[in-house]
Amino acid sequence: MGKIASFSTPLLFQSKLLCFSLTFLSLSLLFAARFTFSATKCIFRSSPFDPLQGPLFFYPPSYAHHKHPIPTTRSSCKSPIFFSDYWQVLDEIRTISAPSPPPPPLRFLQRNAPTFGGNLSFPQRFSYLKHGDRGFGIPCGFFKHFPVSSLDRGAMEKCRGVVVVSAVFNDHDKIRQPMGLGSKTLDLACFFMFVDDATLNRLRSDNLIARRKSSEKLQIGAWTIVKVWSGQLYENPAMNGVIAKYLVHRLFPNSKYSIWIDAKLQLVVDPLLLIHSLLIKESADMAVSKHPFFLHTVEEAAATARWRKWPDVNGIRIQMETYCEHGLQPWSSDKPYPSDVPDSALILRKHSVPTNMFSCLIFNELEGFNPRDQLPFAFVRDKMRPKLRLNMFEVEVFEQVAIEYRHNTRIKHSGGPRYRAATSALFANETSGKCDAYLLDMWGEPHD
């Protein structure tokens, strides 16, 4: 007959003092790790064990070797974002992306015109700001054919759920792969990069892509490459990029959400987590970072003129005078937004009626004046109806979700007299004083 086995408590756990010490040590290490990895970050993940997608593409060593990321110096965050569990986010966005009866859409005007956007006058553009009062279609580009292949157009129409969009025209930037993708993210998120001939030729010379057959997509890692015959659009490459940046809801009519990312940026957080945290949980139509330095539109206009970000300084002055004359106000705490100036290198959008309308109206202003999209931002946002539910998040968050690559680094400009002088110089030739009240309010000085 077998002997009944008896068990005793292991010696390791017989000492209460030892058990207490091990417990205390484990908790201390846990809190120390949390502090180390999150105290100086703006991002808190629910689990460090989310399944990540492996590398999708390896670039040749010589590609982009002369560009280096700009270091960030911020050590704290005013409003950190908390990511939900990856699987929970995946299921929620999959449910949202399922086919369903669409909401009442905007009706877009259609006609033949010499320019893609119709070259509308400012009074015409201004008349469309209050869609809710008018109840009929608005101009939103596509007055000329958008020149991409039928293969690419079909792929764009098949994209549902989340689309991540970028563009490189005139070989101005390098193409960089997103990092931190979850293992199932590419089932719900599409990545599209619009390029012109100059960029495509460079990609071929760098052996990143080969000439495709008519039935094959161009693919570099996560990115589907779409060639645009940009010579049929605008002479200015920046304006051609604006089409992909602001008319993404028209290029991808079946997508529920979109992320625009400038080609100078590399996304390092899963786009589904970003959409969920910055849009869905915030019940927002659109999310964009605050500008790191400026609060007021005219501050940005003065910097644009001062640093020749747009060469037509007189045109910038006329643009600001036009907005001042039609009700542009400087930022104040009375506005429901923390700033009038975004950093629009990263834009997250729910394809809702207010967001799509805002995108259309911004595009019209950019064609009418210039492609500097921070200049009409507050004017359109504050004047349009219906109102836009906007989440303007902190700069520190932006710096944690994307790595910036640039030839010229950002230089922090001080405000005060230096920018007062710059804004005064921008309006030095003005005689009608259309922005005088704006400037006095911005500077905190009384006026009649």
Side-chain angles (χ1 to χ4, degrees), residues 107-121:
R107 185 170 66 85
F108 305 121
L109 298 183
Q110 297 181 350
R111 68 169 186 259
N112 293 323
T115 69
F116 184 80
N119 196 25
L120 305 173
S121 66

mmCIF file of all heavy atoms in Angstrom, residues 107-121:
data_model
loop_
_atom_site.group_PDB
_atom_site.id
_atom_site.type_symbol
_atom_site.label_atom_id
_atom_site.label_comp_id
_atom_site.label_asym_id
_atom_site.label_seq_id
_atom_site.Cartn_x
_atom_site.Cartn_y
_atom_site.Cartn_z
ATOM 1 N N ARG A 107 -23.252 68.091 -48.758
ATOM 2 C CA ARG A 107 -23.345 68.009 -50.214
ATOM 3 C C ARG A 107 -22.287 68.943 -50.788
ATOM 4 O O ARG A 107 -22.250 70.125 -50.470
ATOM 5 C CB ARG A 107 -24.737 68.413 -50.696
ATOM 6 C CG ARG A 107 -24.927 68.217 -52.199
ATOM 7 C CD ARG A 107 -26.383 68.389 -52.593
ATOM 8 N NE ARG A 107 -26.841 69.742 -52.386
ATOM 9 C CZ ARG A 107 -26.684 70.731 -53.264
ATOM 10 N NH1 ARG A 107 -26.049 70.508 -54.405
ATOM 11 N NH2 ARG A 107 -27.146 71.937 -53.000
ATOM 12 N N PHE A 108 -21.415 68.392 -51.621
ATOM 13 C CA PHE A 108 -20.306 69.152 -52.167
ATOM 14 C C PHE A 108 -20.652 69.647 -53.571
ATOM 15 O O PHE A 108 -21.192 68.896 -54.393
ATOM 16 C CB PHE A 108 -19.042 68.294 -52.221
ATOM 17 C CG PHE A 108 -18.665 67.698 -50.900
ATOM 18 C CD1 PHE A 108 -18.570 66.324 -50.726
ATOM 19 C CD2 PHE A 108 -18.403 68.520 -49.809
ATOM 20 C CE1 PHE A 108 -18.223 65.779 -49.507
ATOM 21 C CE2 PHE A 108 -18.061 67.977 -48.577
ATOM 22 C CZ PHE A 108 -17.968 66.608 -48.426
ATOM 23 N N LEU A 109 -20.346 70.907 -53.814
ATOM 24 C CA LEU A 109 -20.592 71.485 -55.132
ATOM 25 C C LEU A 109 -19.685 70.829 -56.162
ATOM 26 O O LEU A 109 -18.528 70.503 -55.878
ATOM 27 C CB LEU A 109 -20.341 72.992 -55.104
ATOM 28 C CG LEU A 109 -21.232 73.819 -54.164
ATOM 29 C CD1 LEU A 109 -20.899 75.292 -54.312
ATOM 30 C CD2 LEU A 109 -22.710 73.572 -54.440
ATOM 31 N N GLN A 110 -20.197 70.665 -57.350
ATOM 32 C CA GLN A 110 -19.438 70.062 -58.442
ATOM 33 C C GLN A 110 -19.587 70.924 -59.696
ATOM 34 O O GLN A 110 -20.691 71.302 -60.060
ATOM 35 C CB GLN A 110 -19.937 68.643 -58.741
ATOM 36 C CG GLN A 110 -19.753 67.679 -57.592
ATOM 37 C CD GLN A 110 -20.233 66.276 -57.931
ATOM 38 O OE1 GLN A 110 -20.867 66.070 -58.958
ATOM 39 N NE2 GLN A 110 -19.936 65.321 -57.061
ATOM 40 N N ARG A 111 -18.455 71.243 -60.297
ATOM 41 C CA ARG A 111 -18.464 71.956 -61.562
ATOM 42 C C ARG A 111 -17.060 71.934 -62.132
ATOM 43 O O ARG A 111 -16.097 71.573 -61.453
ATOM 44 C CB ARG A 111 -18.951 73.395 -61.390
ATOM 45 C CG ARG A 111 -18.019 74.307 -60.595
ATOM 46 C CD ARG A 111 -18.474 75.760 -60.717
ATOM 47 N NE ARG A 111 -17.549 76.681 -60.089
ATOM 48 C CZ ARG A 111 -17.731 77.234 -58.901
ATOM 49 N NH1 ARG A 111 -18.803 76.911 -58.204
ATOM 50 N NH2 ARG A 111 -16.854 78.084 -58.403
ATOM 51 N N ASN A 112 -16.931 72.291 -63.372
ATOM 52 C CA ASN A 112 -15.626 72.434 -64.005
ATOM 53 C C ASN A 112 -15.080 73.813 -63.704
ATOM 54 O O ASN A 112 -15.808 74.810 -63.755
ATOM 55 C CB ASN A 112 -15.730 72.225 -65.512
ATOM 56 C CG ASN A 112 -16.097 70.794 -65.864
ATOM 57 O OD1 ASN A 112 -15.646 69.861 -65.190
ATOM 58 N ND2 ASN A 112 -16.908 70.606 -66.889
ATOM 59 N N ALA A 113 -13.801 73.883 -63.354
ATOM 60 C CA ALA A 113 -13.181 75.159 -63.023
ATOM 61 C C ALA A 113 -11.708 75.099 -63.412
ATOM 62 O O ALA A 113 -11.136 74.008 -63.542
ATOM 63 C CB ALA A 113 -13.330 75.461 -61.526
ATOM 64 N N PRO A 114 -11.078 76.261 -63.605
ATOM 65 C CA PRO A 114 -9.655 76.253 -63.982
ATOM 66 C C PRO A 114 -8.737 75.797 -62.870
ATOM 67 O O PRO A 114 -7.593 75.426 -63.122
ATOM 68 C CB PRO A 114 -9.391 77.716 -64.357
ATOM 69 C CG PRO A 114 -10.451 78.495 -63.656
ATOM 70 C CD PRO A 114 -11.655 77.610 -63.615
ATOM 71 N N THR A 115 -9.177 75.835 -61.614
ATOM 72 C CA THR A 115 -8.357 75.346 -60.509
ATOM 73 C C THR A 115 -9.102 74.251 -59.759
ATOM 74 O O THR A 115 -10.334 74.139 -59.843
ATOM 75 C CB THR A 115 -7.999 76.467 -59.507
ATOM 76 O OG1 THR A 115 -9.183 76.877 -58.805
ATOM 77 C CG2 THR A 115 -7.371 77.654 -60.223
ATOM 78 N N PHE A 116 -8.355 73.474 -59.000
ATOM 79 C CA PHE A 116 -8.928 72.347 -58.274
ATOM 80 C C PHE A 116 -9.980 72.797 -57.271
ATOM 81 O O PHE A 116 -10.975 72.118 -57.038
ATOM 82 C CB PHE A 116 -7.804 71.588 -57.569
ATOM 83 C CG PHE A 116 -8.248 70.347 -56.870
ATOM 84 C CD1 PHE A 116 -8.464 69.174 -57.586
ATOM 85 C CD2 PHE A 116 -8.437 70.326 -55.505
ATOM 86 C CE1 PHE A 116 -8.873 68.011 -56.942
ATOM 87 C CE2 PHE A 116 -8.845 69.176 -54.855
ATOM 88 C CZ PHE A 116 -9.065 68.013 -55.577
ATOM 89 N N GLY A 117 -9.758 73.961 -56.648
ATOM 90 C CA GLY A 117 -10.685 74.445 -55.632
ATOM 91 C C GLY A 117 -11.691 75.470 -56.121
ATOM 92 O O GLY A 117 -12.536 75.925 -55.348
ATOM 93 N N GLY A 118 -11.614 75.872 -57.371
ATOM 94 C CA GLY A 118 -12.601 76.799 -57.919
ATOM 95 C C GLY A 118 -12.216 78.258 -57.881
ATOM 96 O O GLY A 118 -12.905 79.098 -58.449
ATOM 97 N N ASN A 119 -11.116 78.593 -57.179
ATOM 98 C CA ASN A 119 -10.628 79.971 -57.126
ATOM 99 C C ASN A 119 -11.738 80.947 -56.731
ATOM 100 O O ASN A 119 -12.008 81.938 -57.398
ATOM 101 C CB ASN A 119 -10.022 80.369 -58.476
ATOM 102 C CG ASN A 119 -9.165 81.615 -58.363
ATOM 103 O OD1 ASN A 119 -8.647 81.925 -57.282
ATOM 104 N ND2 ASN A 119 -9.018 82.342 -59.457
ATOM 105 N N LEU A 120 -12.365 80.672 -55.585
ATOM 106 C CA LEU A 120 -13.477 81.493 -55.119
ATOM 107 C C LEU A 120 -12.979 82.793 -54.511
ATOM 108 O O LEU A 120 -11.908 82.850 -53.901
ATOM 109 C CB LEU A 120 -14.282 80.720 -54.072
ATOM 110 C CG LEU A 120 -14.800 79.332 -54.481
ATOM 111 C CD1 LEU A 120 -15.415 78.631 -53.288
ATOM 112 C CD2 LEU A 120 -15.791 79.447 -55.623
ATOM 113 N N SER A 121 -13.773 83.843 -54.635
ATOM 114 C CA SER A 121 -13.450 85.122 -53.985
ATOM 115 C C SER A 121 -13.707 85.000 -52.489
ATOM 116 O O SER A 121 -14.440 84.104 -52.033
ATOM 117 C CB SER A 121 -14.311 86.245 -54.566
ATOM 118 O OG SER A 121 -15.685 86.038 -54.236
#
